[in-house]
C-alpha cells in the first residue's frame, strides 16, 4: 500500500523547525533525509526511522516494523503529533547516521 501525500505533508510540517529536511519519493513511499543523511521514511502512512543507538535510547519502547517485504526492521515512531519530540529524535540520531554514499559518475 502506498503512503499518502497528505501524511507526508503532515510529517514535513511537524519537522518544519529543522533545517534541511528533504524527501524522495520511491515506489509509492517516501525516504526522509535530514541534512543529507537518510533518517528513515514514510511507509504505509507510518513514520519509521533507522534503529541507531540514539533512536533506540530516545524511544526505547518503540516496536520494530518492516517498511516493506525483504527490508531491514526499523523503529515505528508513534509520537508524530509532537513537533519537539520529532525534532529531538532527529537531532539525537544525526551523528550516528551513515554519511551518504558518493554518487557514481556516468
Amino acid at each position: 500500500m502506498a503512503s499518502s501525500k497528505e501524511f507526508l505533508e503532515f510529517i514535513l510540517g511537524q519537522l518544519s523547525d529543522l533545517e534541511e529536511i528533504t524527501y524522495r519519493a520511491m515506489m509509492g513511499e517516501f525516504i526522509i533525509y535530514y541534512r543529507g543523511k537518510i533518517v528513515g521514511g514514510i511507509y504505509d502512512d507510518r513514520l519509521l526511522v533507522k534503529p541507531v543507538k540514539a533512536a533506540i535510547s530516545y524511544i526505547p519502547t518503540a516496536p520494530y516494523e518492516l517498511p516493506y517485504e525483504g527490508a531491514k526492521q526499523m523503529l515505528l515512531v508513534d509520537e508524530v503529533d509532537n513537533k519537539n519530540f520529532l525534532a529531538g529524535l532527529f537531532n539525537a540520531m544525526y551523528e550516528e547516521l551513515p554519511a551518504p554514499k558518493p554518487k557514481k559518475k556516468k
Side-chain angles (χ1 to χ4, degrees), residues 38-56:
I38 297 174
V39 179
I42 297 173
Y43 304 92
D44 297 329
D45 287 338
R46 301 169 298 161
L47 176 61
L48 301 177
V49 296
K50 291 186 170 207
V52 295
K53 287 179 185 173
I56 294 166

Side-chain angles (χ1 to χ4, degrees), residues 3-92:
S3 294
S4 69
K5 194 81 167 169
E6 292 78 21
F7 189 72
L8 170 67
E9 295 298 331
F10 171 73
I11 295 297
L12 293 176
Q14 292 297 88
L15 295 170
S16 63
D17 291 344
L18 298 174
E19 293 181 18
E20 296 183 59
I21 292 289
T22 57
Y23 71 92
R24 179 179 295 169
M26 192 165 292
M27 298 184 299
E29 309 296 355
F30 303 98
I31 309 299
I32 305 292
Y33 295 82
Y34 178 40
R35 293 167 41 198
K37 295 181 178 182
I38 297 174
V39 179
I42 297 173
Y43 304 92
D44 297 329
D45 287 338
R46 301 169 298 161
L47 176 61
L48 301 177
V49 296
K50 291 186 170 207
V52 295
K53 287 179 185 173
I56 294 166
S57 296
Y58 206 85
I59 45 177
T61 60
Y64 285 83
E65 296 199 2
L66 290 174
Y68 53 88
E69 194 65 40
K72 293 180 181 175
Q73 289 188 326
M74 299 175 81
L75 295 174
L76 174 66
V77 181
D78 276 334
E79 290 190 52
V80 294
D81 292 329
N82 186 335
K83 285 180 85 159
N84 291 333
F85 175 83
L86 289 178
L89 173 62
F90 276 44
N91 281 319

Side-chain angles (χ1 to χ4, degrees), residues 95-106:
E95 289 301 320
E96 283 185 59
L97 295 170
K101 294 181 179 144
K103 300 217 188 285
K104 295 178 183 173
K105 293 183 180 180
K106 292 182 180 181

